[in-house]
Amino acid sequence: MTAMIPIADATPSTLRSHVVRRLRSEILSGKYRPGDRLNESQIAREFNISRIPVREALSQLQEQGLVMNHERRGMFVIKLGDDEVQQINSLRMVLEAEAMLLARARMTPAILAELTALVEQMDAWDGPLLDAADLDRRFHAVIWRASGNPYLERALDQLTTALFAHKALEHSSREIRRWRLNHHRALLDVVASPDGGDPMMALLTHLRMAYSEPEKFSSLAVRSALPAAAIPARAKAPGAMPA
């Protein structure tokens, strides 16, 4: 039975925060599945509160990417189609590769220590599945912040909120989660060393561990689909002068 919240004992902000935590936990635990409608009136009755804090909590969860608002239909648990996921990934690769290059150029002992600590936590992870999702996002967020470009950081955060939430709701096995977490060390090697390799290719490899075609809507897929004769040669023969 759902515990009742004594209205008199809770300030509006405390009440809203409680509702956010409860709904977030119920979404991520699977009580509400991707695509399920979150009925405002029903939730208010379950919590024995008015609809106002429920409405505010749902709006906050929408900002976090766990909830989507369908006009004239209400609030629903986030559910992305396959093409939507790959469209986000295709743009993410471009933006995050830039963030990785900038983070590499701006790398400091403090940033490296923060990333290394997160990777070590991932290597040792054996807790709740939600902790794995949190570690994953925090690692990438540190790289975005380390780019030194707040607009790039904000763009990546807004772009990927729904994507990370969508993936967190995927009920994959612990072995799969651990395998994906362990690959972050390869990304760390890319940003930690001046000759760490191509961030775009490293990201593509990384994303392929969780998605079948993360590059589907990117120029990488376009180029791979073209016959060799249709791709303009960028370099001429040795010694040739530019046209």
Side-chain angles (χ1 to χ4, degrees):
M1 181 176 178
T2 303
M4 300 302 184
I5 305 171
I7 304 299
D9 295 341
T11 63
S13 61
T14 301
L15 183 57
R16 182 178 62 249
S17 297
H18 176 87
V19 177
V20 168
R21 288 195 300 271
R22 279 287 301 275
L23 287 176
R24 180 182 175 85
S25 175
E26 290 176 348
I27 290 171
L28 295 176
S29 68
K31 176 181 177 180
Y32 295 107
R33 303 290 297 170
D36 283 355
R37 182 169 181 260
L38 297 166
N39 187 294
E40 191 178 290
S41 298
Q42 180 181 331
I43 294 170
R45 287 194 298 271
E46 289 178 1
F47 281 60
N48 194 29
I49 57 177
S50 73
R51 292 172 58 176
I52 294 175
V54 175
R55 186 178 305 126
E56 293 174 346
L58 290 173
S59 294
Q60 189 169 335
L61 289 169
Q62 183 182 4
E63 293 175 2
Q64 295 175 4
L66 282 174
V67 169
M68 297 180 71
N69 184 13
H70 294 290
E71 191 174 358
R72 294 189 294 275
R73 294 176 58 206
M75 293 288 201
F76 292 77
V77 179
I78 185 74
K79 183 177 183 180
L80 297 176
D82 290 342
D83 279 357
E84 291 176 295
V85 168
Q86 308 310 32
Q87 285 164 354
I88 293 172
N89 274 326
S90 293
L91 180 55
R92 175 188 175 183
M93 285 194 302
V94 175
L95 296 179
E96 191 160 4
E98 176 71 2
M100 290 175 69
L101 285 170
L102 290 170
R104 177 194 286 173
R106 295 168 48 86
M107 185 58 60
T108 66
I111 295 171
L112 181 59
E114 188 174 3
L115 289 170
T116 301
L118 285 168
V119 166
E120 289 173 351
Q121 290 179 59
M122 291 181 189
D123 289 345
W125 172 78
D126 193 28
L129 294 179
L130 293 184
D131 287 355
D134 182 57
L135 285 170
D136 185 359
R137 183 169 180 82
R138 284 166 57 195
F139 175 87
H140 291 278
V142 171
I143 292 176
W144 306 340
R145 173 165 44 86
S147 73
N149 185 334
Y151 293 95
L152 178 59
E153 179 185 3
R154 190 177 309 126
L156 278 162
D157 182 67
Q158 293 174 349
L159 175 71
T160 62
T161 294
L163 185 68
F164 276 97
H166 174 83
K167 208 61 185 173
L169 294 174
E170 178 187 74
H171 291 274
S172 56
S173 69
R174 298 181 67 81
E175 290 70 24
I176 293 294
R177 297 271 179 148
R178 185 177 292 108
W179 176 61
R180 291 173 182 168
L181 284 178
N182 291 343
H183 187 260
H184 286 79
R185 187 171 291 279
L187 293 183
L188 175 59
D189 292 341
V190 172
V191 297
S193 173
D195 57 353
D198 182 357
M200 179 76 79
M201 292 298 103
L203 276 169
L204 178 57
T205 300
H206 180 72
L207 292 174
R208 279 177 174 169
M209 294 189 164
Y211 307 96
S212 59
E213 292 181 278
E215 76 282 12
K216 181 178 179 180
F217 292 93
S218 74
S219 58
L220 292 175
V222 173
R223 288 200 298 269
S224 65
L226 290 173
I231 303 176
R234 287 198 163 194
K236 293 184 178 293
M241 296 296 290

